[in-house]
Amino acid sequence: MRAPHYTLLLVTLGAVLLVSCVVSLGFGPARVPVDVVWHIVLHKLFGIGEVNWSAGQEHIVWLIRVPRMLLGALVGAGLALIGAVLQAVTRNPLADPHLLGVTSGATLGATLGAVIVVLHVGEIIGLLTLPIAAFIGALLSMLLVLVIASRQGRLDSDRLLLCGVAVSFVMMAVANTLLFLGDHRASSAVLFWMLGGLGLARWELLAIPSASVLLGLILLLGMARPLNALMAGEQTAVTLGLNARNVRFRVFLIASLMTGVLVAISGSIGFVGLMIPHIARRLVGAEHRRLLPVSALLGSVFLVWVDVAARTLIAPEDLPIGVATAAIGGLFFMGLMRKR
């Protein structure tokens, strides 16, 4: 794709994302007209316009739906970025952020937090108790997978994926056992991490995922050339003087930390990192300096609209967003398997 066409694509996707973010705020159990949404957002951001809406509409849009929409856009962008780089370093088109065992570690951490800390000790740091417990579990899970997968100082990508799957099964078994034997009041809290959702979105919780996704994008864009070389094969990378093991380790570390942060707030939202990079490659090819920004924008647009479907299909209840992405991703996966 030529540079002008690529620039036009980025501008188009950015415009689609902006329109999607504004329009999506009107959907939900309580419908809010788009023009009212637009005036509320402009008034809150820039102090423009007269107040001709109710306090309830302002509360719904600004305090509930805007943080949720922003979190959805961040999680979609982050998971798409992680999926794109994991597929490159593993040379596996089915690689997904959750294959590293990070999601199951977050679920186990949230389970321990719910069963031990919240129910028996009380919420120590309020709303952040379970997200922090989930992040600690994700981080420990990632470190465990890296330790098991390392062999004589080498980190083989296939071995890493297999270790991630094995650790996931073990940690989910422990989490399910704790839920079965423990207080059943913890089940509803932990179910959020198992099924995924954006219900924890609050303005005060957006800083960490925002910094994580932005920093991850910058670091991964800086590794675009090594990622391109790894996509071409191990021998090509070595010929170019690339230390493939170090590049893989750095990518796995960045991907795991990003996944841990996102999963700690949004729970397990699968298949975004599997689907979106394939769609982005159809648009711009496999060159990562172009692929990563397009993947991030597509992931944001996708998850914003999936969240709209999740909160409107069975309104006034919320459909867990992980259920919606699993349904869409399963169909995509079957189509991918038929073609390849």
Side-chain angles (χ1 to χ4, degrees), residues 59-60 63-73 75 127-128 130-131 188-189 191-193 195-206 262-269 303 306-308 310-311 316-322:
H59 178 86
I60 290 171
L63 295 181
I64 298 176
R65 292 185 185 170
V66 172
R68 179 169 177 150
M69 174 270 295
L70 292 175
L71 180 61
V75 171
L127 187 65
L128 291 173
L130 289 186
S188 59
L191 195 63
F192 169 82
W193 272 270
L195 299 180
L198 303 175
L200 282 183
R202 302 288 187 278
W203 280 109
E204 60 269 21
L205 294 181
L206 292 178
L262 298 177
V263 167
I265 297 180
S266 67
S268 175
I269 301 177
L303 210 57
V306 170
D307 182 51
V308 169
R311 66 174 184 256
E317 298 295 329
D318 269 6
L319 179 71
I321 197 169

Side-chain angles (χ1 to χ4, degrees), residues 106-337:
T107 301
L108 178 57
T111 305
L112 287 170
V115 172
I116 298 173
V117 178
V118 176
L119 295 180
H120 298 289
V121 181
E123 292 194 2
I124 299 174
I125 46 181
L127 187 65
L128 291 173
T129 302
L130 289 186
I132 288 177
F135 177 73
I136 293 172
L139 190 62
L140 293 177
S141 175
M142 179 265 295
L143 293 174
L144 179 61
V145 171
L146 290 176
V147 169
I148 297 174
S150 298
R151 189 175 186 181
Q152 297 178 348
R154 296 180 64 252
L155 192 64
D156 181 71
S157 57
D158 292 335
R159 183 180 174 87
L160 182 103
L161 292 176
L162 290 173
C163 290
V165 172
V167 169
S168 292
F169 278 116
V170 172
M171 291 203 165
M172 286 306 299
V174 175
N176 289 331
T177 302
L178 287 173
L179 286 177
F180 180 75
L181 297 177
D183 194 315
H184 292 291
R185 289 177 297 167
S187 301
S188 59
V190 177
L191 195 63
F192 169 82
W193 272 270
M194 292 183 172
L195 299 180
L198 303 175
L200 282 183
R202 302 288 187 278
W203 280 109
E204 60 269 21
L205 294 181
L206 292 178
I208 295 176
S210 300
S212 170
V213 173
L214 180 60
L215 183 60
L217 176 61
I218 293 171
L219 292 175
L220 293 173
L221 280 174
M223 300 174 64
R225 288 191 176 183
L227 288 170
N228 294 336
L230 284 177
M231 277 287 283
E234 187 90 21
Q235 291 183 343
T236 303
V238 172
T239 303
L240 294 173
L242 183 69
N243 189 328
R245 182 173 66 87
N246 287 343
V247 173
R248 283 199 180 98
F249 181 79
R250 281 184 287 160
V251 169
F252 289 140
L253 187 61
I254 294 170
S256 297
L257 290 173
M258 286 179 65
T259 306
V261 170
L262 298 177
V263 167
I265 297 180
S266 67
S268 175
I269 301 177
F271 287 101
V272 178
L274 171 65
M275 294 185 291
I276 300 302
H278 287 287
I279 299 172
R281 289 190 190 95
R282 289 290 184 94
L283 295 175
V284 296
E287 207 285 315
H288 284 80
R289 280 175 297 184
R290 295 185 172 189
L291 176 66
L292 295 180
V294 171
S295 294
L297 289 171
L298 284 174
S300 294
V301 172
F302 173 74
L303 210 57
V304 164
W305 283 109
V306 170
D307 182 51
V308 169
R311 66 174 184 256
T312 55
L313 286 178
I314 58 172
E317 298 295 329
D318 269 6
L319 179 71
I321 197 169
V323 174
T325 59
I328 299 170
L331 294 174
F332 183 88
F333 183 85
M334 288 187 283
L336 194 64
M337 292 300 292

